[in-house]
Amino acid sequence: MAASAKRLAIFAGLLSLALICAGCSASANNTFFGATNPPRENVLRYVSGSEPESIDPQIPATQND
């Protein structure tokens, strides 16, 4: 029984090590980042308005609230 538990622990350790190494390795095919050129017509405009008076959701900040 102890040998079986020892094998299971070794297997779990090796599997964990393999998953950590696979998660930390860099991808070989990295063609997306830095290679995209958006069309000129696509423009994002973001208007946030004024800063809220309170971040408490219980206190209304505008007339509509």
Side-chain angles (χ1 to χ4, degrees):
M1 180 104 168
S4 177
K6 186 176 180 180
R7 282 190 204 135
L8 182 62
I10 290 172
F11 177 73
L14 289 174
L15 180 64
S16 298
L17 183 64
L19 290 174
I20 289 171
C21 289
C24 294
S25 66
S27 176
N29 187 6
N30 196 3
T31 60
F32 179 74
F33 293 103
T36 57
N37 296 319
R40 287 184 155 197
E41 298 84 32
N42 289 347
V43 177
L44 174 66
R45 292 186 175 93
Y46 179 76
V47 179
S48 63
S50 62
E51 293 291 323
E53 294 178 16
S54 172
I55 58 172
D56 185 8
Q58 298 294 326
I59 300 173
T62 64
Q63 290 288 42
N64 295 337
D65 293 340

